[in-house]
Amino acid sequence: MKFLFTVGGSQAAVFGVAPLAAAARNAGHEILVAADEPLMAAAASVGLPAVCITPERMRYGQESMTAAVRLDALLELTRVWSPDIVVGGLSHVPRVLAARLKVPYVRHIWHIAPMARRDRKAVEELRPELERLGVGELPEPDLFIDLCPPSLRPPGAPAARSMRWVPRVSQRRVEPWMYTRPEGRRRVLITAGTRNLMLDTAGSSLRTLVDELTGAGAEVLIAALPEAAERFGAELGDVRIGWIPLDVVAPTCDLAVHHGGATTAMTLVNSGVPQLIVPDNGYGKAVAEAVRDAGAALMVDKHRPRDGRSPDELITAGCREILSDPRYAERTRAIATETATLPTPAEVLRELEAVAAR
């Protein structure tokens, strides 16, 4: 069979779909990943055969602005490589493509944030493209795969086939310190994902957090883009800063401070690591609230200081609380245990094969 996987937005979309795409390839199916140019390197880094369909990164919530270009590019691709099934994510453009091709459509996302309103708006904005292509009402997905553990799903989320989260990030040479816990010290990871220079705070504020953690005896790791490492590295003291493989390092950590990315949060949950989340947008806030409400994290909203304390003070206080209260780690490990019981990508693939064979 031929499986067409479509991704857009950030590298997180590539890493999220990679385990299922790899499972399909390992089972002997042909696969292609249709991606935006900024995501091509990420696809190559995890061994996925990817084809570029647009030069710029898709932004979820702005589908009407690029839908025609993306659809035409996908239709051109499928004229020479005809899929038996289309797998999409947050965007509904692949759903339109599947309806036009009259092949099954599978939606594959982590439903950790409420999306019903945004989905309705996106589908309505695609109506001109439906009319242009002669497609009537969009059918519902033939299968909805959710990477989010059931205990973290938002209220009212649609029924879905749960799938186990399998961490996947860009791969490079791994060093022993990455997979080894420091002896006699706790380890704290700080990251702002793959698109941000650093946590949305000035270098001096980051130094305050680092000083607080190292002063308490913790080892600090900062996963950062090269430009961030060059800019901040010299002033942050005794820390490791630069490329850090989250999938390898996470099991060695006692706490992570991050921006609220779903891939970051799920990889940490998967390893039983409690989190202090400083969301940098509305989606990150929804992720933070879900993990916080499950007892596995604290959230600091930098736009809403409380108790007369600054965001920096709240972040450092939150780190102290998580490291001193074992209940955060216990709750996170409970969710990790739940995640480990969910069907693997190889098991879920059998359902995709059945859908494609109808």
Side-chain angles (χ1 to χ4, degrees), residues 25-196:
R25 197 179 196 187
N26 292 341
H29 301 294
E30 294 181 57
I31 71 165
L32 273 183
V33 178
D36 306 323
E37 179 60 41
L39 305 184
M40 295 296 287
S45 75
V46 290
L48 297 179
V51 57
C52 177
I53 56 169
T54 56
E56 298 181 356
R57 180 171 63 87
M58 184 204 77
R59 296 183 182 276
Y60 182 59
Q62 300 178 345
E63 290 193 295
S64 61
M65 298 171 61
T66 60
V69 172
R70 298 178 66 78
L71 276 169
D72 287 345
L74 288 167
L75 287 167
E76 181 64 27
L77 169 64
T78 56
R79 270 191 279 271
V80 296
W81 197 88
S82 179
D84 297 298
I85 190 168
V86 174
V87 181
L90 288 174
S91 171
H92 291 275
V93 168
R95 184 176 167 193
V96 177
L97 173 71
R100 171 66 173 175
L101 298 177
K102 295 182 171 56
V103 299
Y105 170 69
V106 174
R107 196 177 197 196
H108 174 286
I109 59 174
W110 41 88
H111 200 292
I112 197 170
M115 294 184 294
R117 182 180 301 177
R118 295 178 70 178
D119 281 347
R120 287 193 296 270
K121 181 181 178 182
V123 170
E124 186 59 35
E125 289 178 343
L126 288 173
R127 194 155 301 281
E129 298 308 315
L130 296 176
E131 295 174 356
R132 176 171 74 94
L133 298 176
V135 176
E137 293 296 319
L138 278 178
E140 291 299 312
D142 293 272
L143 183 64
F144 178 18
I145 301 172
D146 191 1
L147 296 170
C148 184
S151 63
L152 296 184
R153 299 189 86 213
R161 183 62 164 116
S162 293
M163 188 174 83
R164 180 174 180 175
W165 176 264
V166 179
R168 192 67 57 90
V169 300
S170 296
Q171 299 299 304
R172 301 184 195 174
R173 179 172 177 165
V174 172
E175 302 294 341
W177 65 264
M178 296 175 179
Y179 54 81
T180 306
R181 281 184 174 271
E183 187 174 351
R185 302 177 71 188
R186 290 187 170 185
R187 174 174 276 184
V188 179
L189 173 71
I190 301 174
T191 179
T194 56
R195 284 186 290 163
N196 302 316

Side-chain angles (χ1 to χ4, degrees), residues 281-297:
N281 56 37
Y283 185 78
K285 185 176 181 180
V287 170
E289 289 173 340
V291 183
R292 177 201 64 190
D293 292 349

